[in-house]
């Protein structure tokens, strides 16, 4: 059990699913967790935060400065799935996906880095979609962009502030984010996972605790894939083919 006592950790998208599991694991390790989400929390204890809003981030930063004086980790977990496929991608869905999945983490970094001492950690929850091509165009492109943001931030913040920035790439994980996926997607994806099972939030959370802890003090710019081996053989075309909608006829 890693000891995170004394660390203040902000987790976005923490009202349910993977974010809730990450927040609970961090609390169990002793961290003071500031759980945030745009959705309501079942226990009513989290804080409202729209990650696309600079004003919300500024208000959160001011509150944390007054309450704790410092923030030791930021877990950019909030994200949305967008399953539209080319060429049928609507501009509003494209923009919303990038606003939440990419701009949100960037705003969080801008707002909270001034409160983070050397040795602090930023963890961006990316996706296995950022290590190969996937059919969901906006989602895949946004996660590749978040991967790039992670690398840029690891260079900039590592050298100037001693802050580590790493990405975690989960594969198929049983969370509410996956509820909109068609059954054909699950069937095709499961066949491509060498461990022959879907992941759970509990499979991901321990890695987040590790990356927040001082045990990962030399991890910076790392990209940790947690997908049961799915990306090891990169055959996502078969998933795309299995879930391809019929072409519209005139």
């Amino acid at each position: 059990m890693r000891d995170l006592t004394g660390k203040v950790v902000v987790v976005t998208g923490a009202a349910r699913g993977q974010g809730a599991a990450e927040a609970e694991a961090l609390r169990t390790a002793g961290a003071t967790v500031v759980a945030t989400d745009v959705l309501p929390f079942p226990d009513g204890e989290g804080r409202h935060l729209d990650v696309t809003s600079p004003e919300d981030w500024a208000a959160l930063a001011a509150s944390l400065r007054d309450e704790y004086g410092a923030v030791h980790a930021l877990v950019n977990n909030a994200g949305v799935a967008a399953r539209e496929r080319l060429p049928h991608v609507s501009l509003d869905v494209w923009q919303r996906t990038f606003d939440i999945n990419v701009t949100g983490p960037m705003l969080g970094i801008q707002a909270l880095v001034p409160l983070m001492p050397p040795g602090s950690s930023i963890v961006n929850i990316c996706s296995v979609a950022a290590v190969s091509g996937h059919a969901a165009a906006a989602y895949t492109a946004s996660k590749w962009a978040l991967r790039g943001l992670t690398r840029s931030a690891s260079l900039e913040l590592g050298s100037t502030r001693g802050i580590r920035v790493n990405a975690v790439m989960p594969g198929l994980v049983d969370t509410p984010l996956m509820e909109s996926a068609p059954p054909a997607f699950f069937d095709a994806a499961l066949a491509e996972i060498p461990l022959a099972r879907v992941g759970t939030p509990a499979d991901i959370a321990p890695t987040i605790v590790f990356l927040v802890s001082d045990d990962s003090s030399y991890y910076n710019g790392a990209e940790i894939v947690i997908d049961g081996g799915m990306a090891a053989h990169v055959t996502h075309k078969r998933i795309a083919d299995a879930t391809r909608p019929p072409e519209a006829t005139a």
Side-chain angles (χ1 to χ4, degrees):
M1 177 66 70
R2 292 184 168 86
D3 185 6
L4 301 184
T5 301
K7 292 186 183 291
V8 176
V9 184
V10 175
V11 182
T12 67
R16 60 180 188 168
Q18 192 168 290
E22 292 161 1
E24 182 58 30
L26 290 161
R27 288 192 194 97
T28 300
T32 297
V33 177
V34 180
T36 71
D37 208 309
V38 72
L39 300 174
F41 284 78
D43 58 12
E45 293 185 359
R47 306 192 190 198
H48 181 272
L49 175 72
D50 178 352
V51 297
T52 70
S53 168
E55 293 77 17
D56 277 15
W57 277 113
L60 177 64
S63 174
L64 295 176
R65 183 182 295 107
D66 292 342
E67 291 180 54
Y68 304 111
V71 172
H72 303 93
L74 167 62
V75 181
N76 283 312
N77 174 82
V80 293
R83 306 196 185 281
E84 293 180 340
R85 302 166 69 134
L86 292 169
H88 310 292
V89 178
S90 54
L91 185 57
D92 59 337
V93 169
W94 179 273
Q95 188 63 59
R96 177 175 180 270
T97 304
F98 271 77
D99 285 347
I100 296 172
N101 292 359
V102 187
T103 305
M106 187 273 293
L107 291 174
I109 290 170
Q110 288 183 321
L112 299 188
V113 157
L115 300 178
M116 301 177 83
S120 295
S121 173
I122 296 172
V123 183
N124 291 329
I125 306 301
C126 203
S127 169
V128 72
V131 298
S132 62
H134 284 237
Y139 180 78
T140 301
S142 72
K143 291 301 186 179
W144 275 89
L146 182 57
R147 183 182 180 184
L149 176 64
T150 302
R151 290 197 172 191
S152 292
S154 70
L155 297 176
E156 189 71 30
L157 301 180
S159 60
T160 62
R161 294 178 175 267
I163 297 172
R164 299 176 291 108
V165 189
N166 297 290
V168 173
M169 320 292 214
L172 186 62
V173 179
D174 186 12
T175 69
L177 196 65
M178 298 304 300
E179 291 175 354
S180 62
F185 173 84
F186 282 96
D187 294 341
L190 190 59
E192 300 299 332
I193 301 173
L195 289 185
R197 71 172 178 88
V198 173
T200 69
D203 291 319
I204 311 301
T207 299
I208 310 309
V209 174
F210 168 69
L211 290 174
V212 168
S213 78
D214 295 337
D215 291 342
S216 61
S217 62
Y218 203 55
Y219 281 67
N220 187 40
E223 300 168 346
I224 303 176
V225 177
I226 311 174
D227 69 347
M230 185 178 182
H233 57 135
V234 193
T235 56
H236 301 300
K237 182 180 184 299
R238 282 187 283 195
I239 300 174
D241 290 345
T243 57
R244 190 181 308 280
E247 289 294 332
T249 56

